[in-house]
Amino acid sequence: MSAAPEVSVVIPTLARPDLVTRAVRSALAQTVTDIEVIVVVDGPDPATRDALAGFGDSRLRVVQLGQKGGAPNARNVGAREARAPWTALLDDDDEWLPEKLAVQLRHAEAATVPMPIVASRLINKTPRAEFVMPRRLPSDGEPVCEYLTVRRGLFHGDGFIQTSTIMAPTALLRRVPFTVGLRRQQELDWTLRALDHDDVALVIAPEPLVLWHQDEDRPRISLNSPWEAQLEWVRTMRPLLTPKAYAAIVMSIISSMAAPTRDVRVFRMLLGDARRHGRPSAIDYLTFFQIWLIPPQLRHTLRDRVLGRRRPAPAPMPDPRATALPLPPVPTTTPGNDVHA
């Protein structure tokens, strides 16, 4: 591979050889063949190196890190190693459909900004159901931070972005690296910080192009993340969030992590924080109380049963320019007791 490939694929992994080989297979099977696949092994892991050695494909490159630094650090390493103008991210437990990169490159070519972040819908696969997320595309004039966080119903996923759906200019991933040490909401954190640059916009392909495997019998960092650290994170993100978005994150994402404490003081503190710095809506209040009152497993089962019955009609293929979303001006957040959602 002397000439630069068209797309670099970055896959961070550690100690999951069966999963990462599945992810690599889906990347190498893309209809866009002029690619390189960079697997960043996040620490000593002979089993993964042995599994990857069996591919025998010159497009596959393995970068071995000397010690564990976490997925955000591994993605940053991969972006620095990338030789293509575009870098697509793939988590080791997800898969791509064969047309994923081809569709995204078409949207990238049609984008009206120099640095488009091209995402897509995905198929959320759980043991109980399969459904497409996000369930809708952004509305005209809708702030991106609200599209990605504010619910229109009791279940998340109206607006949504997930790491394995993201393709972005390699230069942008180097300019705005992932936040090392952040254990949850890594893609939301990166997307909002990247969109704070004037030459960046979000483009969403309406087709589901990724298989997102959820609730499999394996450890998930995202299920063990301390809520205190995530609360500190969202507080630092306030300049990039509208009051509606801030309230939605605190009353949904942070609360879902804190609710297992069953601590009334935490309940009151989060509710007060969302009201003081945000504008909760009626949906936010309903979400907040059901998170604290209904056990997580029961909530997940109800969600999957309700959403799994929905068979959304295939989305029409709009002009790719129609889904380009420059970040609108974010109102300055001031302390207060406004109540919204």
Side-chain angles (χ1 to χ4, degrees):
M1 291 190 302
S2 55
E6 193 170 7
V7 181
S8 296
V9 180
V10 171
I11 308 175
T13 191
L14 180 66
R16 306 205 287 193
D18 292 340
L19 293 177
V20 75
T21 51
R22 182 181 69 184
V24 168
R25 251 183 248 111
S26 75
L28 294 175
Q30 291 294 294
T31 57
V32 175
T33 59
D34 186 16
I35 65 173
E36 65 173 352
V37 178
I38 305 169
V39 177
V40 182
V41 183
D42 189 28
D45 186 357
T48 293
R49 289 190 64 90
D50 291 346
L52 295 173
F55 275 93
D57 192 315
S58 62
R59 297 175 297 169
L60 175 61
R61 188 150 53 100
V62 178
V63 177
Q64 174 76 62
L65 302 185
Q67 59 184 10
K68 184 177 179 180
N73 177 68
R75 292 188 195 107
N76 294 341
V77 171
R80 292 195 296 269
E81 291 281 337
R83 299 187 302 122
W86 295 96
T87 292
L89 305 175
L90 176 56
D91 288 345
D92 66 357
D93 50 356
D94 297 329
E95 295 177 86
W96 287 346
L97 298 182
E99 291 283 336
K100 194 259 190 188
L101 293 181
V103 171
Q104 289 186 303
L105 286 170
R106 289 198 295 270
H107 282 275
E109 290 174 2
T112 57
V113 295
M115 294 279 182
I117 300 168
V118 186
S120 76
R121 281 183 161 129
L122 54 75
I123 299 171
N124 187 0
K125 294 173 67 71
T126 82
R128 297 170 296 275
E130 295 183 12
F131 46 91
V132 173
M133 295 171 59
R135 290 189 292 278
R136 65 179 182 89
L137 296 178
S139 304
D140 289 342
E142 182 177 16
V144 177
C145 63
E146 291 183 12
Y147 168 70
L148 294 176
T149 60
V150 175
R151 300 188 186 201
R152 294 187 176 183
L154 290 179
F155 304 117
H156 82 95
D158 291 306
F160 185 71
I161 191 167
Q162 193 263 356
T163 317
S164 297
T165 69
I166 293 173
M167 187 185 80
T170 302
L172 178 61
L173 285 159
R174 292 173 179 170
R175 185 204 302 177
V176 184
F178 277 78
T179 301
V180 176
L182 184 64
R183 299 180 67 188
R184 273 192 77 172
Q185 304 307 312
Q186 296 165 7
E187 55 272 270
L188 177 61
D189 170 84
W190 180 83
T191 301
L192 294 179
R193 288 187 297 106
L195 287 170
D196 195 38
H197 295 257
D198 292 338
D199 58 346
V200 180
L202 177 63
V203 177
I204 301 177
E207 306 94 329
L209 302 173
V210 174
L211 300 180
W212 188 31
H213 297 280
Q214 287 264 67
D215 299 329
E216 294 188 29
D217 187 18
R218 60 178 184 270
R220 280 188 174 271
I221 290 175
S222 60
L223 300 180
N224 301 309
S225 184
W227 67 267
E228 296 96 332
Q230 292 298 132
L231 181 61
E232 287 305 310
W233 163 75
V234 74
R235 286 171 171 169
T236 66
M237 295 292 287
R238 275 180 58 201
L240 302 181
L241 298 169
T242 64
K244 289 182 179 182
Y246 183 88
I249 293 174
V250 172
M251 298 181 81
S252 174
I253 297 171
I254 310 301
S255 292
S256 66
M257 299 164 58
T261 66
R262 299 301 177 213
D263 190 325
V264 175
R265 293 169 298 178
V266 175
F267 172 93
R268 290 175 176 170
M269 185 270 289
L270 292 178
L271 182 59
D273 187 87
R275 295 183 53 149
R276 185 164 53 252
H277 299 302
R279 289 172 50 205
S281 68
I283 289 292
D284 290 324
Y285 283 108
L286 285 172
T287 299
F288 182 74
F289 285 110
Q290 61 101 4
I291 283 172
W292 281 88
L293 294 175
I294 302 176
Q297 194 58 43
L298 177 57
R299 280 193 288 113
H300 297 161
T301 299
L302 291 173
R303 174 204 66 191
D304 291 351
R305 286 179 177 174
V306 171
L307 298 181
R309 292 196 195 104
R310 300 180 184 173
R311 299 290 181 233
M317 187 65 181
D319 182 341
R321 290 178 178 84
T323 53
L325 298 172
L327 187 66
V330 177
T332 303
T333 306
T334 55
N337 293 316
D338 296 335
V339 178
H340 155 275

